[in-house]
Amino acid sequence: MVVQSLRSWYPRRAPPSWYDAVVVTEREPSGTRDAAEPVSRIYQLGLAASAATDLEEPVTAILRVILDATGAAGAAIVRVDEARGEAILRWSLTAAGGILGAGGRAPLAGTLAGRAVAAGRAVTAAARDHWPFPARIALAAAAPLAIGARGLGALVLAAPAPAEARLMERLERLAGPVALALQNVLVLEDGRHRVTQLAMLGRVSHIITSTVDLETLLQRTVDCIREQLGYEVVAIGLVDPKRERVVLRAVSAAQPITAAIGHSQALGEGVTGECARTGRSRLVPDVRDCENYVAVTPRARSEMCCALKVGDRVIGALDVESDTPGSLDGQDLMVLEAIAEHIAQAVQNAQALRDVARVREELAAMLIHDLRTPITVVVAALDLMRGSDRNLPAVRQAQSACEEMLVLIGGILDLQKLEAGAFKVHPRLGAPGDLAHGVLRRLGVVAATRRVSLEAAVDDATPGAPLDADLIARVLENLVVNALKFTPAGGCVTVEVAPQDAPGAGRELPGGGPAVRFTVRDTGPGIPPEHRERIFDKFAVVEARRAGARHSTGLGLAFCRQAVEAHGGVIWVDPAARSGSVFHLLLPAGRPRPAPRARRRPR
């Protein structure tokens, strides 16, 4: 026995991680070694393919051995599609190290490979049957590759000069071991593909549990399937029951396609429409034989589609297309059906959550709107009761609570309109200082009830600003009410108005230009650094610095951010505040600009 490294067989091509594998070969008698060595190499290369990370490497190594043994100018392994009558170039190598275009096709009957397969033996031909080699070759030979009754294709050689007898002799001797090695490579290739398919189930499960946003979920899923399994096109369509159509919601393609997001086709139209209508999976080995095929890319040759079902109800379809006829089989379909089950459940969950959120918001809007009227009546009644000194403390407390509730209700209603993009801002040039003084007058009763001093500091150099006075007044009211809520008795809340260039601004408008700065300061416990960004989120809860103090910012600050951004401004918490909380609000100054539409913030 001789221990031999694959490096000595194929030193120019295979990477060290693969050809450093050690193989054991029988030592042939010296008289037969030259004839038997290529056969032994091919056998061993086929067996060692299991250690290769890329299965192209062992096949290329086998072709190199064939070229060295036969003196041919080129060698190619051709797969045969008898159903379509096509020969398909799978692997190739020339003596100079070149590679022909893999995936090339030719009519089977017109190729030497087809003649060899049909005859069941090696055949030769002149240059007119040169495919897949250039026409300038002098001689071509081909031998069928088969294991028992299973045909694998054909081995085709090109000779630079006529040497038919020698070429045929060596070709026939090498065809058997090449078929065995090729079978091993194909089995490994198929096994690795199956392992990848099964791993896909885990990846898809992770994706669909990582987000509840439907569009993100669908796009991540199709991208993952295509990238991992190498399909030409992967798409998901959802059924629109009112229109009786399947609407494309996510697609991932290796090449440009004719269908864009939003494209729809009738139930029953095309393989996808048929699958969505019947609820049954469909496998099309060759789309050229399918009368109901709807093309989305010229390269597609095979297609399979699985229904997305929740119980007996079809909600959509998962569609896959490949650029190779017959490349999709029952195993692929089984894996795709398992993935489709995961996707269908995730789509149902995402749609249910979205519907619940919509109903909740509509209900909240209705209740809040209905609350506004009785509270306004209570405020008017309290104004009539203030004439009695005996009732004054209780009246002030009731008025304070009503004022806070009106600020909250107004903010919630406006927030919903801003998020929906239905709120129009109407800026008019006005005095920011007057706006601040008006807010403080309205909230004076709240400050007095809480025994907190409420003050204004307006810089005389403050320019006019184009503001929607009602909207910005509600922003200031929310900030002041929050400050009063968190400031202990005896404390102070201050509203400052100054030009942008006054000390302490720290930021600029997103679009640049002159600005007015509003600042609301309090002497409360302050906001911990880790909460300074998230307090502007809806329903945020903040732990105050003092132990045991826990406050919900609810929807007030979320409304403030939306309203400020609708003006082209910016709002933030001062990170340098040494005590209490300091909110800054920067808004454009100068002449009124065209009223911007409120920006819709993603949920």
Side-chain angles (χ1 to χ4, degrees):
M1 303 290 286
V2 176
V3 177
Q4 186 174 9
S5 170
L6 291 180
R7 182 186 295 276
S8 65
W9 293 357
Y10 191 55
R12 288 171 287 178
R13 292 274 174 185
S17 62
W18 178 70
Y19 61 44
D20 279 342
V22 174
V23 299
V24 180
T25 63
E26 294 287 345
R27 181 187 297 276
E28 298 84 8
S30 59
T32 61
R33 183 174 181 181
D34 290 343
E37 188 176 19
V39 172
S40 178
R41 289 181 182 179
I42 291 171
Y43 279 135
Q44 295 294 345
L45 286 167
L47 293 173
S50 59
T53 55
D54 183 356
L55 292 176
E56 299 292 322
E57 298 165 1
V59 178
T60 305
I62 290 170
L63 294 177
R64 172 58 66 184
V65 172
I66 293 170
L67 292 176
D68 292 343
T70 61
I77 294 176
V78 174
R79 300 300 304 277
V80 172
D81 181 358
E82 295 185 359
R84 291 298 309 169
E86 290 184 333
I88 306 166
L89 177 60
R90 187 65 171 82
W91 293 282
S92 66
L93 185 67
T94 66
I99 298 174
L100 305 176
R105 300 169 186 273
L108 187 60
T111 63
L112 194 60
R115 289 172 53 194
V117 170
R121 58 180 174 80
V123 297
T124 61
R128 62 184 178 83
D129 287 325
H130 64 273
W131 188 89
F133 299 104
R136 63 177 178 270
I137 66 171
L139 181 71
L145 300 175
I147 301 295
R150 184 190 178 200
L152 303 178
L155 173 62
V156 185
L157 300 182
E164 182 173 349
R166 182 184 178 191
L167 189 64
M168 288 287 287
E169 176 189 350
R170 297 192 175 184
L171 176 61
E172 290 176 335
R173 188 173 67 248
L174 296 177
V178 169
L180 288 172
L182 179 60
Q183 181 188 42
N184 190 49
V185 168
L186 294 175
V187 168
L188 289 169
E189 188 176 59
D190 184 67
R192 293 183 184 184
H193 182 62
R194 302 310 178 200
V195 170
T196 304
Q197 287 178 324
L198 294 175
M200 274 298 304
L201 294 175
R203 293 190 181 97
V204 170
S205 296
H206 174 73
I207 289 172
I208 64 180
T209 56
S210 64
T211 178
V212 294
D213 180 75
L214 183 58
E215 307 305 326
T216 302
L217 182 153
L218 296 179
Q219 191 59 50
R220 287 180 182 175
T221 299
V222 295
D223 286 341
C224 180
I225 295 173
R226 188 186 67 79
E227 291 167 7
Q228 295 297 321
L229 299 182
Y231 297 129
E232 187 75 10
V233 178
V234 180
I236 294 177
L238 297 183
V239 173
D240 182 344
K242 293 182 179 179
R243 298 167 56 198
E244 295 187 343
R245 301 184 71 84
V246 184
V247 181
L248 182 64
R249 299 294 293 272
V251 62
S252 183
Q255 298 291 333
I257 62 175
T258 57
I261 300 298
H263 167 81
S264 68
Q265 56 195 66
L267 294 180
E269 178 187 2
V271 176
T272 302
E274 179 183 335
C275 182
R277 180 179 61 82
T278 64
R280 295 191 297 270
S281 300
R282 177 82 188 276
L283 174 61
V284 181
D286 196 318
V287 298
R288 292 169 291 185
D289 296 331
C290 179
E291 296 180 358
N292 198 25
Y293 175 68
V294 175
V296 295
T297 173
R299 292 180 51 173
R301 289 294 179 268
S302 55
E303 181 179 12
M304 61 181 175
C305 188
C306 299
L308 303 179
K309 299 173 67 176
V310 177
D312 294 330
R313 182 169 59 94
V314 178
I315 63 172
L318 171 60
D319 187 74
V320 164
E321 299 194 21
S322 171
D323 59 356
T324 304
S327 60
L328 304 175
D329 57 23
Q331 181 71 24
D332 291 284
L333 188 62
M334 183 178 70
V335 173
L336 197 70
E337 286 175 337
I339 294 174
E341 289 183 12
H342 286 68
I343 296 173
Q345 191 60 51
V347 169
Q348 183 191 37
N349 293 342
Q351 290 177 333
L353 287 173
R354 186 172 59 187
D355 292 342
V356 168
R358 177 179 54 79
V359 172
R360 182 180 60 195
E361 290 182 1
E362 291 176 353
L363 179 61
M366 180 185 67
L367 292 175
I368 292 168
H369 187 274
D370 290 345
L371 281 172
R372 203 170 194 171
T373 300
I375 292 175
T376 303
V377 173
V378 172
V379 171
L382 291 172
D383 283 338
L384 296 175
M385 295 173 62
R386 281 195 302 178
S388 171
D389 293 338
R390 184 182 62 182
N391 296 330
L392 188 57
V395 169
R396 283 183 173 175
Q397 288 181 346
Q399 279 188 312
S400 173
C402 289
E403 292 290 350
E404 290 186 46
M405 289 180 68
L406 287 173
V407 169
L408 176 62
I409 290 171
I412 293 174
L413 290 173
D414 290 341
L415 173 62
Q416 290 178 326
K417 293 179 182 178
L418 286 165
E419 286 187 326
F423 196 102
K424 292 184 178 180
V425 179
H426 300 284
R428 293 184 180 180
L429 190 63
D434 293 345
L435 188 64
H437 282 300
V439 169
L440 267 59
R441 280 195 301 271
R442 286 195 296 276
L443 296 179
V445 64
V446 180
T449 302
R450 295 182 176 272
R451 292 179 294 168
V452 173
S453 175
L454 188 57
E455 301 175 357
V458 179
D459 190 326
D460 293 337
T462 303
L467 306 173
D468 185 320
D470 291 338
L471 196 59
I472 297 304
R474 284 200 288 278
V475 170
L476 290 176
E477 287 173 352
N478 270 278
L479 294 176
V480 172
V481 166
N482 272 344
L484 293 171
K485 186 188 304 181
F486 298 152
T487 301
C492 180
V493 173
T494 305
V495 178
E496 302 172 1
V497 184
Q500 177 187 7
D501 56 3
R507 293 193 187 182
E508 295 184 350
L509 293 173
V516 173
R517 187 182 84 243
F518 292 87
T519 301
V520 178
R521 303 178 183 272
D522 65 52
T523 56
I527 301 171
E530 64 271 19
H531 295 303
R532 286 174 182 161
E533 288 300 324
R534 62 181 296 270
I535 60 173
F536 293 101
D537 296 336
K538 292 199 304 187
F539 310 114
V541 176
V542 177
E543 301 286 347
R545 286 195 177 118
R546 288 200 299 262
R550 190 169 186 268
H551 303 289
S552 169
T553 61
L555 299 174
L557 293 181
F559 157 73
C560 291
R561 179 170 62 181
Q562 289 275 5
V564 169
E565 290 179 352
H567 279 76
V570 61
I571 184 172
W572 74 99
V573 179
D574 194 336
R578 296 184 179 180
S579 62
S581 302
V582 180
F583 285 83
H584 292 295
L585 176 63
L586 211 58
L587 294 171
R591 294 182 178 180
R593 298 181 296 178
R597 192 173 180 85
R599 289 185 293 175
R600 185 171 184 174
R601 180 172 294 277
R603 300 181 182 180

